[in-house]
Amino acid sequence: MNSFTYHIPTEIVFGKDSESQCASLICKYGGSRVLLVYGGGSAARSGLLDRLTGQMEAAGLACETLGGVHPNPYLDFAREGVKKALDFGADFILAAGGGSVIDTCKAIAVGAASPDTDIWKFWTREETVTKTLPVGVVLTISASGSEMSDSGVLTNLEKGEKKGLNTPFFRPVFSVLNPELTYTLPSYQVACGVVDIMMHTMDRYFNPDTANQLTDEIAEALLRTVIHNGAIAVKNSHDYNAMSELMWCGSLSHNGLTGLGGQKDFSTHQLGHELSARFDVAHGASLSAVWGSWARFVYKTDVNRFARFAANVWGLRGSSEESAAIAGIHATEEYFSSIGMPTNFSTLGIGIQEDEVLRALALGCTYQKTRKVGVFKVLDEPELYEIYKAANN
């Protein structure tokens, strides 16, 4: 086995009505003045906001709310959140929502802890995160895994950039996971979550360090579980068992467990981030739109890996490793299509793009030729362009 270090400090409270423990958890982790952040109106319409604020009032906790987080969370909104947290004197940030809300709260928390530093400088690596306010999560969307991860993503609309940042300070102190809070999601949002969960696992599974057998077995089992339950959940978001499995898979897919001992590739995420930044498309949809093009471009780097994926995730075996590998890629794209997810630019809804746009996407993906992408196959700007070109139909 390859060496690894694994530490997950997030306390998970899972199950029906688990959000009723939120106030006591905030007190447990030292909170007394809480900034409660949420997205659109569903948190209010569902009664979740009233339940959470009522709990905090009963527990003697001061609380301010901040709503309006946008998907592909905006830097400017997070900056507003930092100002509100400082004005209120918040000592705890609570996210009620999915990945965009959680990532916004992570940004607010590090910004409020370092008020003299503009938060974008952390994402550009000009500054290093050294402290944060504690963040808690009440999860309402199974997708990003941000409720247990060390990552956060922000979109800078002014610069047209979407960037991710990893730091141990981004781990929430607790996350409350009640699958019933995901019942109101439309099928498209459920499907986007399914893709994101799969991709967090696959972006770790396809890497050059594959000596840890148990890591691979966990990743393959998680993918099979998501594939099975995702198909059910897209048709019926009130199926408690299916939504439960997706919720827990989402958390495990991005807390490091499915990639222990290996490197993270995340090429597909980088390709998708550029699409989200330019076209403001849903994150999960941006991933499924390019994954097949990426896979066909890189699979010969390790045909055996893709053949194993086909066999152990999809139950497919071909007359050769290469035929099995291709069958696995095809099966994945077919599954994406079956749950209403795009597999190219046309089905993503952005249409076929001019060549200059494809080149701009590839250039942005390399941060203006200052980096290469991926580890399974290290990709430079011309290769990223070819992948975008293959998806441009």
Side-chain angles (χ1 to χ4, degrees):
M1 291 183 70
N2 294 325
S3 300
F4 60 84
T5 299
Y6 191 54
H7 174 63
I8 303 297
T10 306
E11 179 176 357
I12 298 296
V13 182
F14 188 101
K16 296 181 180 181
D17 301 321
S18 52
E19 70 274 17
S20 64
Q21 301 180 47
C22 203
S24 62
L25 287 164
I26 292 169
C27 293
K28 176 179 177 178
Y29 289 100
S32 61
R33 300 184 64 80
V34 182
L35 180 63
L36 170 55
V37 183
Y38 61 98
S42 61
R45 291 191 301 271
S46 68
L48 176 61
L49 276 182
D50 286 342
R51 295 199 302 276
L52 292 175
T53 55
Q55 273 187 59
M56 285 183 269
E57 182 179 357
L61 301 174
C63 179
E64 284 281 336
T65 60
L66 176 63
V69 174
H70 190 278
N72 299 312
Y74 294 162
L75 168 64
D76 285 346
F77 186 90
R79 284 172 172 155
E80 292 176 18
V82 172
K83 184 178 185 305
K84 184 156 188 174
L86 291 170
D87 290 345
F88 175 57
D91 58 14
F92 196 98
I93 312 297
L94 180 64
S100 294
V101 173
I102 301 168
D103 287 359
T104 298
C105 285
K106 292 177 178 181
I108 293 171
V110 299
S114 300
D116 295 329
T117 303
D118 179 64
I119 53 175
W120 189 242
K121 289 187 176 181
F122 295 123
W123 268 259
T124 60
R125 280 62 171 181
E126 295 171 74
E127 299 286 345
T128 301
V129 178
T130 59
K131 53 187 173 180
T132 185
L133 299 184
V135 173
V137 174
V138 179
L139 188 65
T140 63
I141 303 172
S142 304
S144 73
S146 192
E147 66 275 6
M148 284 187 80
S149 81
D150 67 350
S151 68
V153 174
L154 284 180
T155 299
N156 186 328
L157 291 176
E158 181 182 352
K159 294 182 177 295
E161 296 175 350
K162 183 176 180 180
K163 291 182 182 291
L165 175 65
N166 294 79
T167 169
F169 292 96
F170 276 169
R171 302 274 189 191
V173 294
F174 72 77
S175 289
V176 168
L177 277 58
N178 176 2
E180 290 183 331
L181 296 181
T182 66
Y183 280 4
T184 60
L185 293 173
S187 60
Y188 182 79
Q189 214 165 355
V190 175
C192 283
V194 169
V195 172
D196 202 11
I197 295 167
M198 291 178 65
M199 214 62 65
H200 283 145
T201 303
M202 288 152 63
D203 276 350
R204 291 176 168 89
Y205 183 82
F206 291 105
N207 78 85
D209 299 320
T210 57
N212 291 23
Q213 180 182 348
L214 181 58
T215 295
D216 283 347
E217 297 281 356
I218 291 171
E220 291 159 356
L222 191 148
L223 287 167
R224 293 194 302 268
T225 302
V226 174
I227 289 163
H228 173 75
N229 288 284
I232 297 170
V234 166
K235 294 178 182 178
N236 179 15
S237 65
H238 284 63
D239 187 305
Y240 183 82
N241 286 333
M243 297 302 274
S244 296
E245 297 292 346
L246 285 184
M247 181 168 268
W248 189 224
C249 283
S251 297
L252 297 186
S253 74
H254 204 28
N255 72 1
L257 180 65
T258 60
L260 291 181
Q263 302 176 64
K264 292 188 293 185
D265 181 85
F266 275 70
S267 297
T268 304
H269 267 77
Q270 301 307 316
L271 289 156
H273 281 175
E274 289 303 309
L275 292 174
S276 293
R278 178 175 284 265
F279 299 105
D280 201 24
V281 294
H283 176 59
S286 76
L287 302 177
S288 64
V290 297
W291 184 83
S293 296
W294 168 83
R296 280 186 288 271
F297 190 86
V298 306
Y299 82 93
K300 290 185 178 180
T301 303
D302 188 348
V303 175
N304 176 265
R305 192 63 172 168
F306 274 88
R308 173 175 175 147
F309 171 74
N312 293 358
V313 174
W314 295 108
L316 298 172
R317 288 172 173 80
S319 56
S320 66
E321 283 192 341
E322 182 159 0
S323 65
I326 293 170
I329 295 169
H330 180 71
T332 306
E333 287 191 305
E334 286 290 301
Y335 179 77
F336 290 157
S337 295
S338 75
I339 61 171
M341 286 287 96
T343 56
N344 55 41
F345 285 6
S346 293
T347 51
L348 181 60
I350 63 174
I352 296 175
Q353 297 297 310
E354 298 292 333
D355 191 71
E356 65 185 39
V357 174
L358 304 182
R359 295 191 182 279
L361 288 167
L363 187 63
C365 207
T366 60
Y367 294 172
Q368 310 304 309
K369 299 184 180 181
T370 62
R371 69 164 185 170
K372 295 182 180 180
V373 171
V375 294
F376 182 80
K377 178 178 174 57
V378 179
L379 302 167
D380 58 17
E381 182 201 359
E383 292 171 313
L384 294 164
Y385 163 77
E386 292 297 332
I387 294 171
Y388 282 126
K389 186 176 178 181
N392 191 35
N393 56 69

